[in-house]
Amino acid sequence: APTAIIAPSILSADFASLGEDCSRTIRQGADWLHVDIMDGHFVPNLTFGPPVVVKIRKHVERPTQSYGKGTFDCHMMISEPKKWVKEFKNAGCDLYCFHYEAATSSAAESPEGISELKTNPKELIRYIHDNEMLAGIAIKPGTPVDVLYDILDNPQEKERPDMVLVMTVEPGFGGQKFMASCLPKVEELRKRYPELNIEVDGGLGPSTIDQAADAGANVIVAGSAVFGAKDPAEVIALLREAIEK
Ligand code: DX5
Ligand code: ZN
């Protein structure tokens, strides 16, 4: 399986000292920062947009290579994922992870009917790559994994995602209970795609990491478990060991 990547979710950081919280978690051993973008529409919560990403980018050195330390892994919990690609690229995003459900929903259509915002996952992945970011595709707990096979098996490299995010809570809030019922999707993906980057997000921490590791996840998001810890560096190391063992 690909290498372990630990991506603390800054949703659990102190927003009043966000820049410092971001640079500190990188110093404490994090590989990436997981940046949760919520629009109050795709999910019932609001976070922040490009101006905040611009500011925190100044506190975290840009990765020197794809997937490198300091990667901004932007988890786009928004109804119109295509609309924000360029803005997030310019703000400092390195990996743009959109939701399958948003890209395929008829809500992505404008009231007038056909909208240029309505797209399909393959086109959107190509568009993200054209904008020189890595592309991720996320699925909510209720979405079956097999909807992704056609996308992952695409012979067109530009239209294939660099990462799949399997949500292990309903997206919207930090600190929720881990849903082990989502792990068979991770197992299935790992069996079919030994080299795929598979990210899990929601309820991950010292008590749930082994299950996720056994299923085959290699990119681990953890918000409350890292930012709420007495010793975040220790938690980051523990998560990494569980994946690498
Ligand atoms: C939830 C977000 C997660 C969240 C995880 O919608 O996508 O990234 O911050 O928080 P924890 O690790 O506390 O479950
Ligand atoms: Zn997230």
Side-chain angles (χ1 to χ4, degrees):
T3 71
I5 293 169
I6 310 303
S9 163
I10 62 170
L11 187 59
S12 292
D14 180 350
F15 283 8
S17 57
L18 193 51
E20 170 53 22
D21 276 23
C22 288
S23 55
R24 193 183 56 237
T25 191
I26 292 289
R27 285 198 303 277
Q28 287 167 336
D31 300 292
W32 296 359
L33 286 186
H34 183 83
V35 180
D36 285 305
I37 307 297
M38 304 187 192
D39 67 353
H41 184 255
F42 182 72
V43 287
N45 195 7
L46 280 170
T47 52
F48 48 77
V52 173
V53 177
V54 168
K55 290 293 184 185
I56 59 177
R57 186 73 273 181
K58 298 188 200 309
H59 291 258
V60 178
E61 250 178 77
R62 213 77 211 239
T64 51
Q65 56 188 48
S66 295
Y67 307 99
K69 195 167 172 91
T71 291
F72 275 17
D73 165 28
C74 295
H75 178 193
M76 308 304 295
M77 287 164 274
I78 62 176
S79 294
E80 296 182 324
K82 187 173 181 197
K83 185 173 173 180
W84 297 95
V85 169
K86 281 185 192 292
E87 286 218 48
F88 274 80
K89 169 64 191 177
N90 293 335
C93 169
D94 305 296
L95 190 161
Y96 191 95
C97 184
F98 66 91
H99 266 269
Y100 170 85
E101 301 84 2
T104 55
S105 148
S106 56
E109 236 173 302
S110 78
E112 302 85 59
I114 306 303
S115 155
E116 56 178 310
L117 298 174
K118 186 173 160 59
T119 181
N120 68 51
K122 289 178 187 178
E123 281 172 23
L124 184 48
I125 291 164
R126 174 179 285 278
Y127 184 61
I128 294 165
H129 284 152
D130 285 344
N131 281 279
E132 292 171 312
M133 292 183 287
L134 296 170
I137 186 163
I139 51 172
K140 299 205 281 185
T143 303
V145 69
D146 55 355
V147 300
L148 299 178
Y149 295 158
D150 176 54
I151 300 165
L152 287 162
D153 294 337
N154 191 340
Q156 295 277 341
E157 206 187 324
K158 268 221 142 183
E159 297 177 354
R160 270 204 313 267
D162 304 292
M163 185 183 81
V164 168
L165 165 52
V166 176
M167 289 303 297
T168 45
V169 298
E170 287 298 337
F173 301 91
Q176 301 184 79
K177 192 175 176 298
F178 178 72
M179 294 168 68
S181 58
C182 298
L183 289 178
K185 296 195 273 188
V186 175
E187 276 169 36
E188 195 66 37
L189 282 172
R190 180 55 74 217
K191 248 185 252 156
R192 286 178 69 117
Y193 308 102
E195 297 306 319
L196 180 65
N197 283 302
I198 305 175
E199 181 175 61
V200 283
D201 179 13
L204 272 304
S207 62
T208 50
I209 187 63
D210 286 332
Q211 299 170 66
D214 289 347
N218 71 298
V219 184
I220 307 301
V221 177
S224 46
V226 168
F227 285 97
K230 257 211 194 94
D231 187 348
E234 189 182 24
V235 173
I236 291 168
L238 185 150
L239 296 174
R240 189 186 308 286
E241 275 160 33
I243 300 300
E244 284 174 353
K245 76 164 191 279

PDB file of all heavy atoms in Angstrom, residues 9 11-12 34 36 38 75 77 167 169-176 201-204 221-225, ligand 1:
ATOM      1  N   SER A   9      -7.186  17.760  10.738  1.00  0.00           N
ATOM      2  CA  SER A   9      -8.243  18.650  10.256  1.00  0.00           C
ATOM      3  C   SER A   9      -8.259  19.912  11.084  1.00  0.00           C
ATOM      4  O   SER A   9      -8.509  19.873  12.301  1.00  0.00           O
ATOM      5  CB  SER A   9      -9.603  17.965  10.363  1.00  0.00           C
ATOM      6  OG  SER A   9     -10.623  18.943  10.264  1.00  0.00           O
ATOM      7  N   LEU A  11     -10.367  22.040  11.285  1.00  0.00           N
ATOM      8  CA  LEU A  11     -11.694  22.377  11.805  1.00  0.00           C
ATOM      9  C   LEU A  11     -11.683  22.403  13.338  1.00  0.00           C
ATOM     10  O   LEU A  11     -12.457  23.131  13.956  1.00  0.00           O
ATOM     11  CB  LEU A  11     -12.709  21.334  11.303  1.00  0.00           C
ATOM     12  CG  LEU A  11     -14.186  21.569  11.577  1.00  0.00           C
ATOM     13  CD1 LEU A  11     -14.654  22.883  10.975  1.00  0.00           C
ATOM     14  CD2 LEU A  11     -15.020  20.418  11.022  1.00  0.00           C
ATOM     15  N   SER A  12     -10.797  21.610  13.945  1.00  0.00           N
ATOM     16  CA  SER A  12     -10.721  21.574  15.406  1.00  0.00           C
ATOM     17  C   SER A  12      -9.642  22.494  15.964  1.00  0.00           C
ATOM     18  O   SER A  12      -9.368  22.462  17.165  1.00  0.00           O
ATOM     19  CB  SER A  12     -10.471  20.135  15.892  1.00  0.00           C
ATOM     20  OG  SER A  12     -11.605  19.345  15.630  1.00  0.00           O
ATOM     21  N   HIS A  34      -5.592  19.140   6.549  1.00  0.00           N
ATOM     22  CA  HIS A  34      -6.909  18.874   5.979  1.00  0.00           C
ATOM     23  C   HIS A  34      -7.780  20.107   6.248  1.00  0.00           C
ATOM     24  O   HIS A  34      -8.006  20.481   7.401  1.00  0.00           O
ATOM     25  CB  HIS A  34      -7.495  17.620   6.628  1.00  0.00           C
ATOM     26  CG  HIS A  34      -8.815  17.205   6.082  1.00  0.00           C
ATOM     27  ND1 HIS A  34      -8.951  16.450   4.947  1.00  0.00           N
ATOM     28  CD2 HIS A  34     -10.082  17.441   6.532  1.00  0.00           C
ATOM     29  CE1 HIS A  34     -10.240  16.215   4.714  1.00  0.00           C
ATOM     30  NE2 HIS A  34     -10.947  16.814   5.663  1.00  0.00           N
ATOM     31  N   ASP A  36     -11.261  21.897   5.836  1.00  0.00           N
ATOM     32  CA  ASP A  36     -12.681  21.592   5.608  1.00  0.00           C
ATOM     33  C   ASP A  36     -13.439  22.833   5.162  1.00  0.00           C
ATOM     34  O   ASP A  36     -13.618  23.777   5.933  1.00  0.00           O
ATOM     35  CB  ASP A  36     -13.307  21.039   6.900  1.00  0.00           C
ATOM     36  CG  ASP A  36     -12.873  19.608   7.168  1.00  0.00           C
ATOM     37  OD1 ASP A  36     -13.068  18.757   6.281  1.00  0.00           O
ATOM     38  OD2 ASP A  36     -12.338  19.345   8.265  1.00  0.00           O
ATOM     39  N   MET A  38     -16.983  24.280   4.038  1.00  0.00           N
ATOM     40  CA  MET A  38     -18.424  23.970   4.098  1.00  0.00           C
ATOM     41  C   MET A  38     -19.231  25.199   3.698  1.00  0.00           C
ATOM     42  O   MET A  38     -18.902  26.313   4.106  1.00  0.00           O
ATOM     43  CB  MET A  38     -18.804  23.567   5.527  1.00  0.00           C
ATOM     44  CG  MET A  38     -17.990  22.406   6.080  1.00  0.00           C
ATOM     45  SD  MET A  38     -18.649  21.899   7.673  1.00  0.00           S
ATOM     46  CE  MET A  38     -17.324  20.803   8.245  1.00  0.00           C
ATOM     47  N   HIS A  75     -11.019  19.757   1.533  1.00  0.00           N
ATOM     48  CA  HIS A  75     -12.199  18.884   1.489  1.00  0.00           C
ATOM     49  C   HIS A  75     -13.409  19.771   1.231  1.00  0.00           C
ATOM     50  O   HIS A  75     -13.879  20.472   2.130  1.00  0.00           O
ATOM     51  CB  HIS A  75     -12.293  18.132   2.822  1.00  0.00           C
ATOM     52  CG  HIS A  75     -13.486  17.244   2.937  1.00  0.00           C
ATOM     53  ND1 HIS A  75     -13.885  16.693   4.142  1.00  0.00           N
ATOM     54  CD2 HIS A  75     -14.373  16.797   2.014  1.00  0.00           C
ATOM     55  CE1 HIS A  75     -14.966  15.949   3.944  1.00  0.00           C
ATOM     56  NE2 HIS A  75     -15.291  16.007   2.659  1.00  0.00           N
ATOM     57  N   MET A  77     -16.859  20.510   0.910  1.00  0.00           N
ATOM     58  CA  MET A  77     -18.233  20.106   1.227  1.00  0.00           C
ATOM     59  C   MET A  77     -19.158  21.219   0.740  1.00  0.00           C
ATOM     60  O   MET A  77     -19.772  21.945   1.519  1.00  0.00           O
ATOM     61  CB  MET A  77     -18.358  19.849   2.733  1.00  0.00           C
ATOM     62  CG  MET A  77     -17.663  18.553   3.153  1.00  0.00           C
ATOM     63  SD  MET A  77     -17.403  18.444   4.927  1.00  0.00           S
ATOM     64  CE  MET A  77     -15.844  19.309   5.057  1.00  0.00           C
ATOM     65  N   MET A 167     -15.784   8.865   3.682  1.00  0.00           N
ATOM     66  CA  MET A 167     -16.199   9.497   4.940  1.00  0.00           C
ATOM     67  C   MET A 167     -16.614   8.433   5.957  1.00  0.00           C
ATOM     68  O   MET A 167     -17.346   7.501   5.623  1.00  0.00           O
ATOM     69  CB  MET A 167     -17.386  10.447   4.707  1.00  0.00           C
ATOM     70  CG  MET A 167     -17.061  11.726   3.942  1.00  0.00           C
ATOM     71  SD  MET A 167     -15.774  12.737   4.691  1.00  0.00           S
ATOM     72  CE  MET A 167     -16.536  13.184   6.266  1.00  0.00           C
ATOM     73  N   VAL A 169     -17.951   9.561   8.949  1.00  0.00           N
ATOM     74  CA  VAL A 169     -19.064  10.225   9.666  1.00  0.00           C
ATOM     75  C   VAL A 169     -19.867  10.957   8.582  1.00  0.00           C
ATOM     76  O   VAL A 169     -19.383  11.118   7.463  1.00  0.00           O
ATOM     77  CB  VAL A 169     -18.604  11.267  10.721  1.00  0.00           C
ATOM     78  CG1 VAL A 169     -17.782  10.626  11.831  1.00  0.00           C
ATOM     79  CG2 VAL A 169     -17.824  12.421  10.069  1.00  0.00           C
ATOM     80  N   GLU A 170     -21.066  11.409   8.930  1.00  0.00           N
ATOM     81  CA  GLU A 170     -21.779  12.308   8.015  1.00  0.00           C
ATOM     82  C   GLU A 170     -21.030  13.632   8.009  1.00  0.00           C
ATOM     83  O   GLU A 170     -20.762  14.197   9.081  1.00  0.00           O
ATOM     84  CB  GLU A 170     -23.227  12.538   8.478  1.00  0.00           C
ATOM     85  CG  GLU A 170     -24.160  11.365   8.279  1.00  0.00           C
ATOM     86  CD  GLU A 170     -24.340  10.948   6.813  1.00  0.00           C
ATOM     87  OE1 GLU A 170     -24.108  11.780   5.901  1.00  0.00           O
ATOM     88  OE2 GLU A 170     -24.709   9.774   6.591  1.00  0.00           O
ATOM     89  N   PRO A 171     -20.669  14.139   6.838  1.00  0.00           N
ATOM     90  CA  PRO A 171     -19.894  15.376   6.824  1.00  0.00           C
ATOM     91  C   PRO A 171     -20.672  16.543   7.434  1.00  0.00           C
ATOM     92  O   PRO A 171     -21.896  16.582   7.344  1.00  0.00           O
ATOM     93  CB  PRO A 171     -19.620  15.613   5.330  1.00  0.00           C
ATOM     94  CG  PRO A 171     -20.598  14.772   4.590  1.00  0.00           C
ATOM     95  CD  PRO A 171     -20.912  13.613   5.490  1.00  0.00           C
ATOM     96  N   GLY A 172     -19.943  17.452   8.070  1.00  0.00           N
ATOM     97  CA  GLY A 172     -20.570  18.654   8.630  1.00  0.00           C
ATOM     98  C   GLY A 172     -19.959  19.127   9.932  1.00  0.00           C
ATOM     99  O   GLY A 172     -19.875  20.327  10.169  1.00  0.00           O
ATOM    100  N   PHE A 173     -19.538  18.188  10.761  1.00  0.00           N
ATOM    101  CA  PHE A 173     -19.056  18.570  12.080  1.00  0.00           C
ATOM    102  C   PHE A 173     -17.891  17.702  12.540  1.00  0.00           C
ATOM    103  O   PHE A 173     -17.823  16.520  12.187  1.00  0.00           O
ATOM    104  CB  PHE A 173     -20.194  18.460  13.114  1.00  0.00           C
ATOM    105  CG  PHE A 173     -21.366  19.337  12.764  1.00  0.00           C
ATOM    106  CD1 PHE A 173     -22.410  18.843  11.986  1.00  0.00           C
ATOM    107  CD2 PHE A 173     -21.403  20.662  13.171  1.00  0.00           C
ATOM    108  CE1 PHE A 173     -23.484  19.655  11.625  1.00  0.00           C
ATOM    109  CE2 PHE A 173     -22.473  21.487  12.820  1.00  0.00           C
ATOM    110  CZ  PHE A 173     -23.512  20.983  12.053  1.00  0.00           C
ATOM    111  N   GLY A 174     -17.019  18.309  13.339  1.00  0.00           N
ATOM    112  CA  GLY A 174     -15.962  17.547  13.980  1.00  0.00           C
ATOM    113  C   GLY A 174     -16.499  16.857  15.222  1.00  0.00           C
ATOM    114  O   GLY A 174     -17.622  17.125  15.665  1.00  0.00           O
ATOM    115  N   GLY A 175     -15.706  15.945  15.752  1.00  0.00           N
ATOM    116  CA  GLY A 175     -16.028  15.328  17.032  1.00  0.00           C
ATOM    117  C   GLY A 175     -17.159  14.323  17.021  1.00  0.00           C
ATOM    118  O   GLY A 175     -17.717  14.013  18.070  1.00  0.00           O
ATOM    119  N   GLN A 176     -17.519  13.800  15.857  1.00  0.00           N
ATOM    120  CA  GLN A 176     -18.601  12.802  15.820  1.00  0.00           C
ATOM    121  C   GLN A 176     -18.037  11.386  15.980  1.00  0.00           C
ATOM    122  O   GLN A 176     -16.846  11.141  15.866  1.00  0.00           O
ATOM    123  CB  GLN A 176     -19.342  12.877  14.474  1.00  0.00           C
ATOM    124  CG  GLN A 176     -19.964  14.213  14.158  1.00  0.00           C
ATOM    125  CD  GLN A 176     -20.740  14.142  12.849  1.00  0.00           C
ATOM    126  OE1 GLN A 176     -21.873  13.650  12.804  1.00  0.00           O
ATOM    127  NE2 GLN A 176     -20.135  14.631  11.772  1.00  0.00           N
ATOM    128  N   ASP A 201     -11.974   9.927   7.021  1.00  0.00           N
ATOM    129  CA  ASP A 201     -12.206  11.203   7.692  1.00  0.00           C
ATOM    130  C   ASP A 201     -13.449  11.097   8.561  1.00  0.00           C
ATOM    131  O   ASP A 201     -14.537  10.824   8.064  1.00  0.00           O
ATOM    132  CB  ASP A 201     -12.379  12.286   6.606  1.00  0.00           C
ATOM    133  CG  ASP A 201     -12.659  13.667   7.174  1.00  0.00           C
ATOM    134  OD1 ASP A 201     -12.494  13.881   8.384  1.00  0.00           O
ATOM    135  OD2 ASP A 201     -13.035  14.543   6.364  1.00  0.00           O
ATOM    136  N   GLY A 202     -13.248  11.342   9.863  1.00  0.00           N
ATOM    137  CA  GLY A 202     -14.364  11.383  10.793  1.00  0.00           C
ATOM    138  C   GLY A 202     -14.218  10.363  11.902  1.00  0.00           C
ATOM    139  O   GLY A 202     -14.233   9.162  11.659  1.00  0.00           O
ATOM    140  N   GLY A 203     -14.011  10.862  13.120  1.00  0.00           N
ATOM    141  CA  GLY A 203     -13.937   9.988  14.278  1.00  0.00           C
ATOM    142  C   GLY A 203     -12.665   9.169  14.401  1.00  0.00           C
ATOM    143  O   GLY A 203     -12.619   8.203  15.166  1.00  0.00           O
ATOM    144  N   LEU A 204     -11.632   9.576  13.639  1.00  0.00           N
ATOM    145  CA  LEU A 204     -10.364   8.822  13.725  1.00  0.00           C
ATOM    146  C   LEU A 204      -9.523   9.322  14.907  1.00  0.00           C
ATOM    147  O   LEU A 204      -9.443  10.516  15.155  1.00  0.00           O
ATOM    148  CB  LEU A 204      -9.537   8.992  12.443  1.00  0.00           C
ATOM    149  CG  LEU A 204      -9.764   8.025  11.277  1.00  0.00           C
ATOM    150  CD1 LEU A 204      -9.571   6.576  11.723  1.00  0.00           C
ATOM    151  CD2 LEU A 204     -11.107   8.188  10.637  1.00  0.00           C
ATOM    152  N   VAL A 221      -7.238  11.464   8.348  1.00  0.00           N
ATOM    153  CA  VAL A 221      -7.648  12.780   8.843  1.00  0.00           C
ATOM    154  C   VAL A 221      -8.020  12.624  10.315  1.00  0.00           C
ATOM    155  O   VAL A 221      -8.676  11.650  10.686  1.00  0.00           O
ATOM    156  CB  VAL A 221      -8.872  13.304   8.061  1.00  0.00           C
ATOM    157  CG1 VAL A 221      -9.348  14.644   8.632  1.00  0.00           C
ATOM    158  CG2 VAL A 221      -8.548  13.430   6.579  1.00  0.00           C
ATOM    159  N   ALA A 222      -7.583  13.569  11.136  1.00  0.00           N
ATOM    160  CA  ALA A 222      -8.012  13.549  12.535  1.00  0.00           C
ATOM    161  C   ALA A 222      -8.066  14.992  13.022  1.00  0.00           C
ATOM    162  O   ALA A 222      -7.075  15.717  12.935  1.00  0.00           O
ATOM    163  CB  ALA A 222      -7.058  12.726  13.390  1.00  0.00           C
ATOM    164  N   GLY A 223      -9.238  15.402  13.479  1.00  0.00           N
ATOM    165  CA  GLY A 223      -9.430  16.762  13.967  1.00  0.00           C
ATOM    166  C   GLY A 223      -9.343  16.828  15.470  1.00  0.00           C
ATOM    167  O   GLY A 223      -8.302  17.172  16.033  1.00  0.00           O
ATOM    168  N   SER A 224     -10.427  16.431  16.134  1.00  0.00           N
ATOM    169  CA  SER A 224     -10.464  16.549  17.594  1.00  0.00           C
ATOM    170  C   SER A 224      -9.393  15.700  18.266  1.00  0.00           C
ATOM    171  O   SER A 224      -8.842  16.106  19.297  1.00  0.00           O
ATOM    172  CB  SER A 224     -11.855  16.194  18.119  1.00  0.00           C
ATOM    173  OG  SER A 224     -12.349  15.019  17.514  1.00  0.00           O
ATOM    174  N   ALA A 225      -9.060  14.546  17.667  1.00  0.00           N
ATOM    175  CA  ALA A 225      -8.060  13.670  18.308  1.00  0.00           C
ATOM    176  C   ALA A 225      -6.674  14.318  18.328  1.00  0.00           C
ATOM    177  O   ALA A 225      -5.883  14.070  19.251  1.00  0.00           O
ATOM    178  CB  ALA A 225      -7.990  12.321  17.599  1.00  0.00           C
TER     179      ALA A 225
HETATM  180  C1  DX5 B   1     -16.380  16.536   9.047  1.00  0.00           C
HETATM  181  C2  DX5 B   1     -15.038  16.915   8.489  1.00  0.00           C
HETATM  182  C3  DX5 B   1     -13.907  16.321   9.199  1.00  0.00           C
HETATM  183  C4  DX5 B   1     -13.811  16.687  10.669  1.00  0.00           C
HETATM  184  C5  DX5 B   1     -13.230  15.515  11.380  1.00  0.00           C
HETATM  185  O1  DX5 B   1     -17.347  16.941   8.153  1.00  0.00           O
HETATM  186  O2  DX5 B   1     -14.953  16.495   7.144  1.00  0.00           O
HETATM  187  O3  DX5 B   1     -12.689  16.596   8.533  1.00  0.00           O
HETATM  188  O4  DX5 B   1     -13.024  17.818  10.934  1.00  0.00           O
HETATM  189  O5  DX5 B   1     -13.229  15.766  12.744  1.00  0.00           O
HETATM  190  P1  DX5 B   1     -12.965  14.608  13.805  1.00  0.00           P
HETATM  191  O6  DX5 B   1     -11.613  14.021  13.504  1.00  0.00           O
HETATM  192  O7  DX5 B   1     -13.028  15.330  15.098  1.00  0.00           O
HETATM  193  O8  DX5 B   1     -14.060  13.598  13.613  1.00  0.00           O
END
